[in-house]
Amino acid sequence: MANSYFTLAAPSRQSSRDSRAHAAVETRPAEPITLSVHRDLAEVEADWRALDANKLNSLHQSFDWCAAWKRAHRSQLLVVRGALGKQLLFLLPFEIESGCFFRTARLIATAHSNLNTGLFAADVDRAPRGELCRALTEGIRRALRAYADVVALEKTPALWRGLPHPLAALPGIANPNASFQLGLLGDMERTLTQLNAKRRRKKMRLSERRLAELGGYDYVVAREPADAHALLDAFFRQKTARLEAQGLPDVFDNSEIRAFFRLLIDRPSAGDRLLELNAIRLRGEHEGRVIAVTGLSRKGDHVICQFGSIDHMIAADSSPGELLLYRVIERLCGEGVALFDFGIGDQPYKRSWCTMETPLRDITLPLTLRGHAAAGLHRAVVRAKRTIKANKTLYALVQRGRRRILRATTETADD
């Protein structure tokens, strides 16, 4: 059963002209938008899977993705369901993070998501825009203030797939990072015409020549769970080694996070691919050695690159990561994929591949008096990050400071 229900009745806003024009017509009062809060994901699974079918809803808010996160973590989860009469409008799946001073409601798995949309019905526009906005603000305040001090809807798009997103009606600020995409045009030749095709092919041939000197390579797509787990373990090893060499923290060095990605491999999902592992594997003298790994998720015609790594100990000068991306995109061009998403974060290799940049927004909704302070702090931190990232010199100083702190922490732990 749901924990609680909240109703927002739509007030009348007819002008005097409209009133006169419809004076002789008997009208029914507008149906209210009703919100309910659910603790158990299974209670709303049928509705959730129905909304999963809308291709504009991110895979990161899909039922199977969130269920895997719940199984790997012990966080408190709450799902807000909105309906117009008997017709489902939206679901917002939250986890409650308790800090020293604030309780924050975030969309499930936000820390490891590239795009957050929530889940909205394809015909959500049937709800009056003003009433939907009230439901997503006043309604959520009433529904969640007993559980959290502030709601943080992070990494949300104002526009997605060429359409305005329902959350764009809420006030927000620019996220420090954008996400980057490449449109796939049915085959590799047409897709490369959007880029510097000649340079891209030349770089790929150079990579192949260098790997041929080592005995050649295979492009591998893990089709069996055991193979996928082996490639995931290779990714963890490569990522850890790379970040240690750079003196940076490893966000994947966490038992719950690693368990989550393993669950994505094992969890059956109708139609979607929660996590597919692709790799470049050497032949010859280094037979079987994996030198590049990437993890992909697919929903409909949209593929997201979740992560990637390379082995810096061997054949690094062959650019195996770039070669792997080339082979992945080449394959997906023939499999009906229309959008390849490199995910959030501005990096040179993304800009070299991508033709689209999607700005993202952070929306903070204070629920309590303490939540107003939390929302102000969140906005200040986001603005500070955006300022730092916009200044290359300042960003480099901050990165060096992070590396020094990490080294000092590691040395202290070793002692």
Side-chain angles (χ1 to χ4, degrees), residues 48-94:
W48 200 325
R49 291 193 182 279
L51 293 185
D52 279 346
N54 182 359
K55 77 171 188 176
L56 297 180
N57 292 332
S58 174
L59 181 83
H60 291 292
Q61 273 79 67
S62 68
F63 181 84
D64 291 310
W65 188 274
C66 293
W69 184 269
K70 179 180 184 295
R71 185 174 171 187
H73 295 76
R74 295 184 179 180
S75 49
Q76 179 185 0
L77 303 186
L78 296 171
V79 181
V80 177
R81 180 186 186 276
L84 184 63
K86 294 182 178 180
Q87 293 182 301
L88 180 64
L89 284 181
F90 63 83
L91 288 174
L92 295 175
F94 292 106

Side-chain angles (χ1 to χ4, degrees), residues 14 21 48 64-65 126 214 239 252 289 302 372 391:
Q14 277 192 313
W48 200 325
D64 291 310
W65 188 274
R126 68 176 176 263
L214 296 174
K239 183 61 71 173
F252 295 94
R289 182 151 181 169
H302 177 210
H372 283 277
N391 186 316

Side-chain angles (χ1 to χ4, degrees), residues 323-385:
L323 177 61
L324 178 56
L325 282 173
Y326 190 101
R327 289 306 182 201
V328 165
I329 292 170
E330 182 180 50
R331 174 175 64 86
L332 295 177
C333 280
E335 295 184 0
V337 174
L339 191 67
F340 187 84
D341 199 326
F342 284 76
I344 191 169
D346 192 347
Q347 297 183 39
Y349 83 91
K350 294 183 183 181
R351 288 197 175 272
S352 75
W353 274 103
C354 294
T355 57
M356 291 173 269
E357 179 178 347
T358 301
L360 300 175
R361 304 167 68 242
D362 287 357
I363 300 163
T364 52
L365 179 65
L367 308 178
T368 65
L369 185 61
R370 184 176 292 184
H372 283 277
L377 178 61
H378 178 86
R379 288 190 288 267
V381 169
V382 168
R383 290 190 180 103
K385 287 182 178 179

Side-chain angles (χ1 to χ4, degrees), residues 5 14 29 38 56 81 85 113 122 144 169 235 269-270 296 306 337 355 404:
Y5 289 84
Q14 277 192 313
H38 303 258
L56 297 180
R81 180 186 186 276
S113 63
L144 292 185
F235 161 74
S269 180
L296 309 175
Q306 299 290 355
V337 174
T355 57
R404 283 197 295 269

Side-chain angles (χ1 to χ4, degrees), residues 161 184-187 273 298-303 330-339:
R161 306 296 294 263
L184 306 191
L185 304 180
D187 62 65
R273 299 177 195 170
R298 178 171 181 173
K299 179 178 179 180
D301 64 353
H302 177 210
V303 167
E330 182 180 50
R331 174 175 64 86
L332 295 177
C333 280
E335 295 184 0
V337 174
L339 191 67

